[in-house]
């Protein structure tokens, strides 16, 4: 006997209620995206006036441009590394905090708090931590001069960003996964324990399979986050350097559009980035269909 | 104080309202010391007359100023006056968004501007488009205390001497003889200008949008090879090699002994090092005659689409800050250079040049007003900001050892030329003024 709850008689009331947010999303998402699509077919002059329609020439140029591919390639590797580590470490922490130990309540709180820090602030702090002369690895630099210098070494700069991004994403992934773990029925785990399953067995066969929806959500959010939200970290930590080794697509778009006034190039790359993100998310949703949730 | 407020309200009501009075906005990009000086100049203008008033709005940097100007212009909400930095000159000239100051104010003696300050903002035919304001140029800084360790008491005049001096410093235990950030303004544009070597054909683009980069051969290429070699030898430290990660801070903190940098940095260097700071013209390669360096800093542009009253107010403001005393005050406060001959002469005829605030004027102005050629006028190349990024990206890879310097320069030229062609297409039906 399902009870239908209605507060409003007409469907229009609901439409009215959601209209402000629809309007805002339209204004700040769909309009800019539409404009990016529009500009990507033009050679757009910064101050407007006399822009020229060139069809798909911008796309043709970018797809033949090695720097675009290198930016996309870097974004892709970063996405896999940062999202992979981000979710894996959050999972380990969540499994640990889920246990009924004396301090797990405190641990949960401590791990959640960093969520309140903005990406740019994290960038500033990590820049200090990884400073070759003052930071954590500075003793290494004194022992072997030049061995640690992310300002000069592209790979080190890249890894530094991975660490910062993983740290940045950890609390949120942790919340999602811990919530998932805590919603699992206690009886299942206790029954398994009675049947003689050790802690590893219980994690592998019961807990992880049962939180696949949460894992999936964390991955999807991390994938998008590593592609787009990493901007603040790049801008505060490396500015895309050294030698372009951390110029991910999102940062290249900013540089081309806002520093170099190359509006058409930036618009075209925005469209391509969006297509890439959508493709990644769709791919994940396809993969998700294959997963058989054990519920 | 309601009584006083009402009195002033009354005063406002009864004061004769000049027909041409207008409130205008002036957007500027500088922060720090220069911002204070700009705000002071605005205040002085408002206090000096009643007809107009100017509101000066800081935008937090040259690049944000340009971004906001583009957005404001596209939506028709732009101010009358905007300060833009040197590298944005070509975009503005072609934008159809500005009125050339020489057209708007034909009565002004624009020839009074120093050649180096003028040519950067003038067309190839010599018409000035914007009013040079906060002028800087490249000068050479030394730390007397560190130099004394190697028994050196004057700054080297040639790069050959510089290398020798740097080796002596190194031998004397100075860890960082020379520092630079490898920014194209310092290692490419200014070196090319004062040796009168073009970085691109068509006189650095002044003669047309079909120019091509050419710096991957000849003097510039050799200079960058030298920088790379000197870095490998431990004579040059880049931003990334210094403790602070910033070459100016490395110089100011006494970590490094020598640097080529903007004259506008003198105020900070003096605050940090005091009398130890030495200033001279930037070094030359042996066997070359010295030509002018390029002006840095920014100029003020008059934007289109405003009524006559506001244009009049803008003219009054431009006239005001061009005054000799205003320029000298600005120089005192910021370490920038006076940009007109009359201001310079007034300054030189006074005994102010001996004061520390004016220490860069001599070297800076001599550098800026050296003989000029078609290749030392300035840079007029499209998507130039993007090119600077490319140049830094490729040369950084060379400094890090990922590719050779000649590969880096070839790539920078190829990628730069691609930008130039696209820029040419973007403005296909516009002729360069």
């Amino acid at each position: 006997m399902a009870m239908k709850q209605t507060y409003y008689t007409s469907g229009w009331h609901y439409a009215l209620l959601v209209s402000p947010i629809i309007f805002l999303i339209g204004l700040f998402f769909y309009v800019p995206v539409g404009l990016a699509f529009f500009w990507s077919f033009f050679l757009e002059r910064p101050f407007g006036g006399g822009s020229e329609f060139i069809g798909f020439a911008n796309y043709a140029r970018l797809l033949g441009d090695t720097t675009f591919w290198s930016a996309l390639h870097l974004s892709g590797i970063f996405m896999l590394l940062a999202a992979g580590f981000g979710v894996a470490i959050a999972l380990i922490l969540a499994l640990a905090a889920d246990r009924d130990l004396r301090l797990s309540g405190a641990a949960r709180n401590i791990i959640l708090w960093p969520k309140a820090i903005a990406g740019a602030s994290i960038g500033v702090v990590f820049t200090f931590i990884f400073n070759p002369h003052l930071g954590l690895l500075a003793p290494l630099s004194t022992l072997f001069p030049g061995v640690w210098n992310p300002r000069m070494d592209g790979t080190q700069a890249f890894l530094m960003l991975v660490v910062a991004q993983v740290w940045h994403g950890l609390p949120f992934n942790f919340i999602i996964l811990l919530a998932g773990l805590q919603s699992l029925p206690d009886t299942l785990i206790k029954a398994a324990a009675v049947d003689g399953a050790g802690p590893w067995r219980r994690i592998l066969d019961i807990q992880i399979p049962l939180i696949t929806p949460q894992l999936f959500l964390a991955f999807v959010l991390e994938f998008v986050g590593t592609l787009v939200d990493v901007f603040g970290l790049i801008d505060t930590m490396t500015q895309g350097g050294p030698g372009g080794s951390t110029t991910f697509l999102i940062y290249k778009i900013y540089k081309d559009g806002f520093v170099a006034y190359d509006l058409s190039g930036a618009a075209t790359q925005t469209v391509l980035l969006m297509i890439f993100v959508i493709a990644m998310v769709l791919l994940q949703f396809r993969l998700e269909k294959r997963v058989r949730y054990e519920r | 104080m309601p009584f006083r407020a009402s009195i002033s309200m009354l005063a406002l009501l009864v004061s004769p309202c000049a027909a041409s009075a207008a409130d205008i906005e002036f957007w500027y990009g500088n922060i720090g010391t220069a911002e204070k000086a700009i705000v002071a100049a605005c205040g002085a203008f408002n206090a000096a007359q009643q007809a107009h008033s100017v509101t000066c709005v800081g935008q937090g940097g040259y690049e944000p100023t340009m971004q906001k100007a583009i957005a404001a212009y596209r939506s028709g909400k732009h101010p009358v006056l905007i300060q833009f930095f040197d590298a944005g000159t070509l975009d503005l000239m072609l934008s159809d968004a500005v009125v050339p100051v020489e057209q708007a104010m034909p009565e002004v003696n624009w020839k009074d501007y120093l050649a180096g300050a003028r040519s950067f903002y003038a067309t190839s035919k010599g018409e000035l488009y914007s009013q040079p304001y906060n002028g800087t140029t490249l000068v050479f800084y030394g730390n007397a205390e560190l130099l004394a360790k190697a028994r050196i008491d004057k700054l080297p005049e040639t790069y050959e001497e510089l290398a020798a001096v740097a080796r002596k410093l190194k031998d004397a235990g100075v860890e960082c003889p020379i520092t630079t950030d490898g920014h194209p303004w310092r290692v490419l544009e200014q070196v090319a200008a004062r040796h009168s070597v073009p970085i691109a054909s068509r006189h650095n683009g002044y003669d047309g949008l079909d120019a091509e980069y050419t710096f991957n051969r000849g003097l510039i290429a050799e200079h960058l090879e030298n920088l790379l070699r000197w870095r490998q030898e431990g004579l040059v430290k880049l931003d990334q090699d210094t403790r602070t990660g910033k070459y100016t801070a490395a110089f100011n903190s006494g970590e490094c002994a020598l640097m080529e940098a903007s004259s506008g940095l003198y105020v900070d260097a003096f605050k940090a090092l005091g009398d130890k700071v030495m200033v001279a013209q930037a070094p030359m390669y042996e066997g070359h005659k010295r030509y002018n360096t390029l002006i840095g800093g920014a100029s003020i542009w008059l934007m289109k689409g405003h009524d006559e009253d506001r244009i009049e107010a803008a003219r009054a403001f431009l006239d005001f800050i061009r005054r000799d005393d205003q320029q000298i005050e600005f120089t005192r406060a910021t370490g920038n250079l006076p940009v007109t001959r009359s201001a310079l002469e007034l300054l030189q005829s006074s005994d102010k040049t001996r004061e520390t605030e004016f220490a860069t004027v001599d070297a800076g102005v001599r550098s800026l007003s050296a003989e000029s050629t078609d290749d030392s006028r300035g840079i007029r190349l499209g998507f130039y900001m993007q090119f600077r990024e490319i140049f830094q990206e490729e040369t950084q890879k060379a400094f890090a050892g990922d590719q050779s310097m000649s590969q880096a320069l070839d790539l920078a030229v190829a990628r730069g030329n691609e930008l130039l062609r696209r820029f040419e297409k973007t403005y296909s039906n516009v002729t360069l003024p």
Side-chain angles (χ1 to χ4, degrees):
Chain A
M1 46 149 238
M3 197 175 73
K4 201 177 170 215
Q5 284 192 327
T6 42
Y7 294 101
Y8 300 104
T9 45
S10 154
W12 285 109
H13 285 123
Y14 294 104
L16 196 69
L17 284 174
V18 293
S19 61
I21 193 71
I22 297 285
F23 173 73
L24 289 177
I25 292 175
L27 194 62
F28 293 111
F29 180 75
Y30 289 104
V31 170
V33 163
L35 217 53
F37 259 106
F38 183 72
W39 282 355
S40 69
F41 296 111
F42 286 82
L43 275 176
E44 185 70 20
R45 295 184 188 168
F47 285 89
S51 303
E52 194 191 345
F53 180 78
I54 52 161
F56 282 94
N58 281 325
Y59 290 92
R61 180 178 63 78
L62 274 168
L63 295 177
D65 180 359
T66 48
T67 54
F68 169 77
W69 287 109
S70 111
L72 190 67
H73 178 74
L74 287 171
S75 298
I77 299 182
F78 183 77
M79 182 180 84
L80 291 176
L81 275 180
F85 278 112
V87 174
I89 296 174
L91 178 65
I92 294 170
L93 290 173
L95 285 168
D98 182 46
R99 312 200 131 206
D100 268 335
L101 300 176
R102 197 146 50 96
L103 287 176
S104 58
R108 280 172 214 163
N109 277 299
I110 289 166
I111 297 172
L112 287 188
W113 288 341
K115 180 67 194 155
I117 303 175
S121 319
I122 294 176
V124 173
V125 173
F126 273 79
T127 309
F128 274 108
I129 294 177
F130 289 125
N131 183 310
H133 300 284
L134 309 163
L136 214 56
L137 295 171
L140 212 61
S141 288
T142 19
L143 279 180
F144 312 96
V147 75
W148 173 253
N149 191 352
R151 296 169 183 164
M152 207 67 210
D153 185 315
T155 317
Q156 293 176 358
F158 188 91
L159 291 177
M160 190 170 82
L161 277 178
V162 171
V163 172
Q165 173 71 25
V166 167
W167 196 85
H168 181 36
L170 215 50
F172 193 63
N173 295 332
F174 174 79
I175 300 174
I176 298 174
L177 298 178
L178 182 65
L181 286 172
Q182 301 210 313
S183 68
L184 299 183
D186 217 16
T187 46
L188 264 181
I189 294 160
K190 281 187 177 145
V194 169
D195 286 347
W200 289 113
R201 241 332 87 224
R202 298 201 296 268
I203 288 172
L204 287 176
D205 287 348
I206 299 175
Q207 289 179 303
I208 290 183
L210 283 177
I211 59 160
T212 35
Q214 284 83 5
L215 277 171
F216 174 70
L217 176 68
F219 263 115
V220 171
L221 293 178
E222 267 296 294
F223 265 41
V224 178
T226 46
L227 282 176
V228 180
D229 294 347
V230 71
F231 177 84
L233 292 177
I234 300 178
D235 201 39
T236 43
M237 294 176 82
T238 64
Q239 289 87 46
S245 56
T246 55
T247 305
F248 304 160
L249 201 47
I250 187 75
Y251 200 67
K252 184 163 152 47
I253 291 171
Y254 162 75
K255 280 274 183 185
D256 288 358
F258 287 96
V259 181
Y261 328 122
D262 175 10
L263 301 180
S264 319
T268 313
Q269 292 177 82
T270 307
V271 171
L272 290 172
L273 174 65
M274 206 168 62
I275 292 172
F276 182 66
V277 172
I278 292 172
M280 279 298 137
V281 174
L282 283 182
L283 183 76
Q284 286 173 305
F285 272 93
R286 278 196 76 97
L287 284 176
E288 193 225 6
K289 282 202 179 135
R290 298 223 191 135
V291 177
R292 222 163 18 87
Y293 292 125
E294 320 251 338
R295 304 210 138 167
Chain B
M1 272 167 270
F3 176 69
R4 209 183 271 181
S6 50
I7 289 284
S8 53
M9 280 291 286
L10 203 66
L12 271 178
L13 285 174
V14 296
S15 69
C17 197
S20 63
D23 295 337
I24 58 164
E25 269 191 18
F26 165 47
W27 289 7
Y28 62 89
N30 291 92
I31 48 175
T33 320
E35 172 164 30
K36 279 188 203 130
I38 293 173
V39 170
C42 295
F45 172 75
N46 289 333
Q49 45 76 52
Q50 269 86 50
H52 309 287
S53 87
V54 61
T55 310
C56 295
V57 188
Q59 304 290 346
Y62 288 143
E63 283 171 10
T65 310
M66 189 76 161
Q67 290 157 19
K68 287 174 194 168
I70 288 171
Y73 186 79
R74 292 181 79 110
S75 54
K77 294 190 164 51
H78 52 286
V80 193
L81 291 174
I82 298 200
Q83 176 205 38
F84 286 117
F85 66 146
D86 46 1
T89 306
L90 178 57
D91 289 275
L92 284 155
M93 278 190 169
L94 297 176
S95 68
D96 199 31
V98 293
V99 188
V101 283
E102 237 183 280
Q103 278 174 31
M105 307 162 76
E107 72 287 356
V108 175
N109 175 21
W110 296 106
K111 299 274 180 269
D112 191 34
Y113 278 93
L114 299 175
R118 200 189 134 78
S119 61
F120 205 104
Y121 305 109
T123 66
S124 53
K125 290 157 206 81
E127 188 190 26
L128 197 62
Y129 252 59
S130 60
Q131 176 167 317
Y133 182 40
N134 51 326
T136 61
T137 196
L138 188 83
V139 289
F140 193 36
Y141 290 93
N143 180 327
E145 194 176 72
L146 292 179
L147 287 171
K149 281 193 185 177
R151 297 168 196 284
I152 294 160
D153 55 5
K154 78 185 229 326
L155 289 170
E157 282 169 21
T158 67
Y159 277 112
E160 287 79 2
E161 281 173 49
L162 174 63
V165 163
R167 284 187 194 108
K168 278 189 204 158
L169 283 166
K170 184 105 187 131
D171 292 341
V174 176
E175 279 291 306
C176 168
I178 308 168
T179 185
T180 182
D181 61 349
H183 189 282
W185 191 71
R186 285 168 273 282
V187 303
L188 174 69
E189 299 157 33
Q190 298 286 10
V191 180
R194 68 181 185 272
H195 290 85
S196 185
V197 175
I199 65 165
S201 61
R202 308 280 275 153
H203 301 307
N204 292 325
Y206 270 69
D207 294 350
L209 295 179
D210 54 344
E212 286 198 331
Y213 287 104
T214 55
F215 58 83
N216 53 342
R217 287 177 302 278
L219 183 92
I220 299 297
E222 286 161 29
H223 179 59
L224 282 149
E225 294 281 2
N226 283 341
L227 282 180
L228 176 63
R229 221 176 14 254
W230 293 336
R231 176 166 181 270
Q232 285 161 348
E233 212 184 313
L235 306 179
V236 168
K237 280 198 177 182
L238 296 173
D239 265 355
Q240 296 95 320
D241 307 318
T242 61
R243 254 184 306 227
T244 46
K246 184 80 200 140
Y247 77 111
T248 47
F251 179 81
N252 291 349
S253 66
E255 184 184 348
C256 300
L258 299 159
M259 71 167 176
E260 286 176 6
S262 161
S263 56
L265 292 170
Y266 182 78
V267 176
D268 291 336
F270 185 80
K271 265 182 207 152
L273 297 170
D275 290 337
K276 284 179 261 174
V277 188
M278 303 161 79
V279 183
Q281 295 191 79
M284 297 285 298
Y285 278 99
E286 269 169 20
H288 286 268
K289 182 172 176 226
R290 184 187 287 276
Y291 297 92
N292 68 290
T293 47
L294 305 176
I295 190 149
S299 62
I300 303 180
W301 297 73
L302 190 58
M303 297 200 78
K304 267 189 186 166
H306 293 282
D307 55 38
E308 188 49 37
D309 289 352
R310 295 158 69 78
I311 301 278
E312 189 54 47
R315 283 197 199 108
F317 181 66
L318 289 174
D319 284 340
F320 179 79
I321 53 174
R322 198 172 50 242
R323 273 169 38 180
D324 295 342
D325 58 333
Q326 283 300 312
Q327 283 194 52
I328 291 172
E329 169 55 24
F330 196 77
T331 300
R332 189 197 60 68
T334 62
N336 283 321
L337 307 171
V339 277
T340 63
R341 277 198 197 91
S342 57
L344 181 66
E345 277 158 18
L346 183 65
L347 179 59
Q348 283 168 339
S349 65
S350 70
D351 48 6
K352 284 198 175 105
T353 34
R354 279 193 291 278
E355 292 170 25
T356 49
E357 287 94 337
F358 297 97
T360 56
V361 169
D362 179 52
V365 169
R366 265 196 295 140
S367 196
L368 207 54
S369 49
E371 191 184 324
S372 172
T373 72
D374 284 346
D375 288 324
S376 69
R377 267 184 291 182
I379 306 290
R380 190 112 330 146
L381 299 164
F383 286 134
Y384 197 67
M385 294 304 298
Q386 217 166 355
F387 167 75
R388 277 183 171 171
E389 296 280 330
I390 288 174
F391 179 88
Q392 282 208 287
E393 193 180 308
E394 296 297 346
T395 51
Q396 266 179 17
K397 281 189 206 161
F399 283 122
D402 298 338
Q403 61 186 6
S404 74
M405 189 52 89
S406 70
Q407 274 173 323
L409 297 181
D410 287 346
L411 279 169
V413 162
R415 290 174 66 188
N417 285 339
E418 199 268 329
L419 288 181
L420 291 179
R421 295 294 71 78
R422 192 147 47 89
F423 191 85
E424 193 184 2
K425 248 172 115 184
T426 308
Y427 290 96
S428 54
N429 46 2
V430 180
T431 38
L432 187 65

